[in-house]
Amino acid sequence: MINTNRLRNGARAAAIALGLFSITGILGMAQAQNRPQEVNVFSGRHYNTDKELYAEFTRRTGIKVNLLEGKDDELIQRLKSEGRNSKADLLVLVDAARLYRAQEDNLFRPIRSAELNKDVPANLRDPGGRWFALTRRARPVMVNTAQVNPNLIRTYADLTRPELKGKLCLRNRASVYSQSLVADELVRRGAPSTRRWVEGLVANRKGSFYTSDTTMVRAVGQGQCGATIANQYYLARMLRGDNAADREAAKKVRVVWPNPTHVNVTAGGVTQSSRNPEGARRLLEFLASPTSGEGYAAANNEYPLKGWGNNPTLKAFGTFKSSPVSMEQLGRRNREAVQLMTQAGWQ
Ligand SMILES: [Fe+2]
């Protein structure tokens, strides 16, 4: 005999359960929609003006930006060890060498964006869409004119001239700045010429290799070095800074633009672990756009992605012809560059 009561009760229970389920389902969806969106940025940059740009992005989109700053290599290590559990949505790194390492470690997810393809020149982004440049920096020669005639230097190759013997201060091999500079030469001039060039630089150097660009620029200003190769923003920072002694030293430094000049970037990419890749992409598009790109570059006396920007200190340095070598090529030749430097005694 069928117990209709039990059936009825069962149906009622099922209906209640279903009702509850759908109510919680709706509630859950509503919560997801109302929950403010967030993007977690892991960044190798440390400039207060960056935070103003992130705040502007939040005002425009409602997407909150949480910033975690750290040293580039430590951020890469952290993302590698956290894997899929990492909270990072956007990873911002400096220098093609590091971007390439992070790419090889599969930390970035490829994204497609017509806006990024329009705003970021092709040689300044990964062809696979994994990272996109946000600012440019250049690595010119800097000279103390009391010691070295700037007219002697038209290319990086001129730094091996006998007139510069014992006058050249060089950044150490561990620096990605040095590595990318050598990689640039490798792409443009091939291995045999680059090897001779690296040996010539090492032979012309004065004293031991430097571990900081700031110290090298200061040494040129103070006359301890005749010439060096350093990123333009270190000199700009000293010229605009509060330290009077540094300002005086910096005034004695002349920027000489080799033709072509090595250029590198700050770039960002959406992470593999991102739980909000859409929001991360929108932030990347915002930062790379001409309006905010200008501000992002200005924070560190860097150049925007296109043109020269409005920074008066940088304008006074004059303009230069950029190396045509792409950031991706710099990354690909990095290992070879380091090997060559090691063999030539670049410490
Ligand atoms: Fe730097």
Side-chain angles (χ1 to χ4, degrees), residues 6 25-26 36 44 51 90 95 151 155 189 192 198 212 241 244 250 276 296:
R6 246 169 80 187
I26 289 163
K51 287 173 191 149
L90 190 67
D95 203 285
N151 296 327
T155 66
R189 301 174 63 220
V198 165
S212 124
N276 187 5
Y296 210 56

Side-chain angles (χ1 to χ4, degrees), residues 38 86 110 149 242 268 275 279 289:
E38 294 189 346
S86 174
N149 175 2
D242 302 327
R275 285 165 184 81
S289 71

Side-chain angles (χ1 to χ4, degrees), residues 248-300:
E248 279 315 301
K251 283 181 195 161
K252 300 204 173 74
V253 179
R254 170 89 69 86
V255 175
V256 179
W257 296 108
N259 184 7
T261 295
H262 168 60
V263 168
N264 217 306
V265 294
T266 298
V270 179
T271 62
Q272 285 286 5
S273 62
S274 176
R275 285 165 184 81
N276 187 5
E278 194 70 12
R281 176 182 54 76
R282 286 178 68 186
L283 178 56
L284 207 48
E285 288 169 347
F286 170 78
L287 293 173
S289 71
T291 344
S292 28
E294 184 88 20
Y296 210 56
N300 183 33

Side-chain angles (χ1 to χ4, degrees), residues 47 94 137 177 213 231 233-234 237 300:
Y47 310 113
V94 162
R137 66 262 308 277
Y177 300 162
D213 273 25
N231 289 356
Y233 55 85
Y234 290 103
R237 201 182 285 169
N300 183 33

